[in-house]
Amino acid sequence: MKLSRLIRLTLGASLVASSFASPVWAQEQKLRLITWADYVPSEVVTLFKKETGIDVEITLSNNEEMISKLRATGGAGFDLAQPSQDRITGPQQEFGIYKPMDLSKIKSELFIPSMLEATKKNTTLAGKVYGLPHLWGTDGLVVNTKLAKMSDYPDLCKADVKGKTAVRLKRPTLLAFAFASGKDPFALYNDPKAYGALMDDVGKTMVACKSNIKFYWDNKDQLLNGMRAGEVVGAMMWDTGGWKLNSEKPEIQYIAPKSGALGWIDTFAIPAKGRNDAAAYAWINFNMRPEIAAKVASSAGNFTASKGADQLMDAKLKAQFAASFPEAALKNVKWYPAVPAGIEDIEGRVLDRIKAAQ
C-alpha cells in the first residue's frame, strides 16, 4: 500500500471514529432558541457556553409569534421553543410544528414531580409527549389602591375609572371576563357552538367597556410606565409586572381576582425540523438544575418547575407571592388546559370585532 493512501485511510478512520465519539452538540456549536423576554439571562448563557462549548442564539417572542414562525417554516429555524403548555397540542395537531420529546434524554429528577406529570399530560397527543415545564405564573389585576378599588375584572369597566384602565386585546382577556361572568370557558372547549356564544357575549361586554380603556397594551414597558405615571389605575397584568411595580410603589398591588387568576406554564418544546436536538436537551437539563433555575426565575420574576429551586429564590418575591395568593386564592387559579384546534379562530373573530368597534 502506498504511503499517501495509507495516510488518507488513517485520517479518514480517525475522523469517523471522532464523529462517533463526540456528542452531536459538540459538532454543532449553536442552539437556536425562541423564547420569552428575561428567560435567558446572560450569566446563564455564559455558564452554559463554558460547560458545553455551545453558543445560544436567542430570538424573543410570544405564543402567537412562535406558532406563526414555526408554522411558516414547518417547524424549522429553531432548535428549541418555549410555548405555554396550552399552545402545544392544538398547533401540533393542525400544523405538525413540533417533534415528540425523547424522555430518556431528560433528567426527570430535576423537575417538581406534580408539575412534570401535569405538563406531560397536557402536552400529550396520540400517546406522545411534546412539552416539559419550565416557568409558571399568573395573570390577574394590578391596582393602584390609592386611586381605585377593584376586586375582579369587571371593575376595570366601572364608570369611576373611565379612560384609566388597560388590558391586552388577546385571548386571556376574553377568558378572564368569561370567568368573571360566572361561566367556565374551559369547560366549553369541546363545544364550539356554546364556546362561540360565550365569546360573543364577552365581546359585547368588552365593546361596552371600550371607553374605559386608556390603551390596549402589547408592550410591557408601555403598561408599566402607564401605571407608574398614574395614567392607568387598574389593569389586567401578569403577576411579576405587578410585583415589580409594588417594589417601586407599595400602593400598586397585584390582586388575585375573585373569579380567579389565570395560571400558565411555559414549557420546553422541540421544533419538528430543529437540527440540534442534543443541544436542546443539554440546555433543558442545564436550566432545570436548582442553582441555574433560580437565576432564570430571578431574571424572569416567575417561579420555576425545578425541584429545590424555591429554596434559592428571592425572599421578597416569595413574600409578594404569599400576599397576593392566600390559600383560597391559590386554589382558585384557573390553569390553562390545552387549546383544541379551532378555538383560537373563534376568539380571533371576537377580538377583531372589539378592535373595530367605535
Side-chain angles (χ1 to χ4, degrees):
M1 181 181 294
K2 291 184 179 180
L3 180 59
S4 60
R5 187 180 178 210
L6 178 61
I7 292 172
R8 288 198 300 272
L9 287 172
T10 302
L11 286 173
S14 297
L15 288 171
V16 171
S18 174
S19 69
F20 280 103
S22 301
V24 174
W25 52 258
Q27 302 164 45
E28 176 75 42
Q29 297 291 335
K30 182 190 292 184
L31 171 70
R32 299 167 302 160
L33 172 64
I34 184 167
T35 186
W36 302 79
D38 302 323
Y39 279 25
V40 191
S42 57
E43 180 187 6
V44 171
V45 173
T46 299
L47 291 170
F48 183 69
K49 167 75 172 179
K50 182 178 180 180
E51 181 171 312
T52 66
I54 303 172
D55 289 309
V56 182
E57 181 180 285
I58 304 162
T59 299
L60 300 182
S61 190
N62 57 44
N63 277 315
E64 291 78 15
E65 288 179 0
M66 286 184 209
I67 294 170
S68 178
K69 288 178 184 293
L70 292 172
R71 180 183 178 184
T73 61
F78 301 96
D79 305 304
L80 187 62
Q82 296 213 253
S84 298
Q85 69 161 356
D86 59 307
R87 311 301 287 280
I88 293 181
T89 57
Q92 175 60 20
Q93 193 168 18
E94 283 193 90
F95 313 123
I97 56 178
Y98 298 112
K99 64 180 71 171
M101 283 285 179
D102 183 346
L103 298 178
S104 70
K105 295 180 180 178
I106 294 299
K107 296 181 179 179
S108 59
E109 68 274 12
L110 295 174
F111 293 80
I112 296 172
S114 60
M115 193 162 288
L116 176 61
E117 291 308 310
T119 304
K120 285 164 61 177
K121 179 181 178 180
N122 285 329
T123 63
T124 293
L125 185 65
K128 297 177 180 178
V129 174
Y130 286 87
L132 298 169
H134 184 211
L135 295 173
W136 63 274
T138 63
D139 289 321
L141 284 174
V142 175
V143 183
N144 187 322
T145 58
K146 282 188 175 180
L147 301 176
K149 292 183 179 180
M150 298 183 183
S151 61
D152 210 345
Y153 302 109
D155 292 338
L156 294 169
C157 303
K158 293 192 304 184
D160 61 344
V161 290
K162 186 174 182 179
K164 297 180 180 179
T165 65
V167 297
R168 285 191 299 168
L169 200 54
K170 301 285 186 181
R171 67 184 307 267
T173 303
L174 299 180
L175 294 168
F177 275 80
F179 276 113
S181 73
K183 304 291 178 60
D184 182 352
F186 297 156
L188 300 179
Y189 267 7
N190 293 319
D191 186 344
K193 184 176 181 180
Y195 189 79
L198 175 58
M199 288 298 106
D200 285 341
D201 289 342
V202 172
K204 293 174 184 175
T205 298
M206 296 305 302
V207 168
C209 185
K210 203 165 183 179
S211 62
N212 273 48
I213 305 299
K214 177 72 174 179
F215 51 73
Y216 292 113
W217 66 272
D218 198 41
N219 178 296
K220 68 176 184 179
D221 291 330
Q222 177 191 25
L223 180 55
L224 293 174
N225 290 333
M227 291 291 300
R228 288 181 181 117
E231 296 175 357
V232 175
V233 300
M236 183 177 172
M237 189 192 292
W238 72 105
D239 47 21
T240 55
W243 294 329
K244 179 180 178 64
L245 290 169
N246 177 254
S247 296
E248 301 170 9
K249 293 176 174 287
E251 66 271 21
I252 299 178
Q253 297 180 10
Y254 177 78
I255 298 170
K258 285 183 178 179
S259 58
L262 296 173
W264 50 265
I265 299 174
D266 287 339
T267 70
F268 295 110
I270 298 183
K273 295 181 181 177
R275 64 188 183 210
N276 200 352
D277 291 1
Y281 287 115
W283 177 258
I284 293 170
N285 289 325
F286 183 81
N287 270 259
M288 296 313 292
R289 296 177 191 172
E291 69 279 9
I292 300 299
K295 294 179 187 295
V296 175
S298 178
S299 171
N302 293 116
F303 290 87
T304 172
S306 168
K307 185 178 180 180
D310 59 320
Q311 301 301 314
L312 305 173
M313 293 288 292
D314 178 73
K316 185 172 184 178
L317 179 61
K318 290 195 286 186
Q320 288 174 318
F321 177 86
S324 296
F325 286 99
E327 185 176 355
L330 191 58
K331 288 182 178 179
N332 196 33
V333 172
K334 313 301 185 185
W335 295 98
Y336 287 106
V339 182
I343 286 294
E344 290 183 89
D345 292 335
I346 295 171
E347 297 162 347
R349 289 191 289 271
V350 174
L351 291 169
D352 287 341
R353 287 201 296 272
I354 297 170
K355 184 177 181 179
Q358 300 299 319

